[in-house]
Amino acid sequence: MSDETLFTKIINGDIPADILFEDEHCICIKDIHPQAPTHVLVIPRKPLPRLCDATQEDKVLLGHLMLQVGEIARKLGIDEAFRVVINNGAGAGQQVFHLHLHILGNKTFDEGSLGMH
Ligand code: 5GP
């Protein structure tokens, strides 16, 4: 059995996904179970399992991902109000152990609430 993550399979084209943007370091896909009218995932090609597995070696990559989030939010027209979520670990709700940033937009966010729903 392959130990590739679901997202590596999507990156490699082995599993279909709605890819909105991509560059040499990451891809952006629509989430299959959206939690907001706009819900996309920014996924590095490098299969870091969790945010806390990143090291100094990943500093530039992490900065790139954050810049891409802003750029993608602008392209999607949600840059005035969006939320970025990274779940780290099963206890935080992480299901796919390949780092990804959720971008949620086009919904009303409760003040003071940090939840995805
Ligand atoms: P996590 O819970 O790990 O932070 O987020 C994983 C996300 O991946 C979930 O929001 C889930 O809906 C999404 N997801 C799971 N399987 C697939 C899939 O096959 N395709 C796409 N596009 N998204 C998926």
Side-chain angles (χ1 to χ4, degrees):
M1 206 179 98
S2 158
D3 56 4
E4 282 178 351
T5 71
L6 169 68
F7 291 156
T8 293
K9 289 179 180 150
I10 287 176
I11 287 165
N12 291 339
D14 297 330
I15 290 179
D18 262 330
I19 300 182
L20 300 180
F21 309 106
E22 58 183 316
D23 68 14
E24 60 182 315
H25 300 297
C26 63
I27 68 166
C28 174
I29 63 171
K30 283 191 186 169
D31 196 291
I32 206 166
H33 295 124
Q35 306 287 328
T38 299
H39 184 177
V40 303
L41 304 171
V42 180
I43 308 167
R45 293 182 187 277
K46 179 174 178 177
L48 287 165
R50 302 168 303 173
L51 178 63
C52 69
D53 296 312
T55 66
Q56 284 296 323
E57 189 186 300
D58 302 306
K59 202 151 82 175
V60 172
L61 174 62
L62 295 181
H64 179 77
L65 295 173
M66 295 304 283
L67 289 172
Q68 280 302 101
V69 164
E71 185 66 24
I72 289 165
R74 264 189 297 280
K75 285 179 177 158
L76 295 175
I78 58 168
D79 48 311
E80 288 304 316
F82 65 94
R83 180 165 285 170
V84 181
V85 174
I86 299 175
N87 294 321
N88 185 104
Q94 185 174 1
Q95 295 170 342
V96 180
F97 284 78
H98 181 145
L99 176 65
H100 51 283
L101 294 80
H102 298 257
I103 306 177
L104 301 140
N106 278 322
K107 67 169 272 182
T108 306
F109 296 103
D110 295 337
E111 269 182 55
S113 158
L114 289 175
M116 289 232 312
H117 306 286

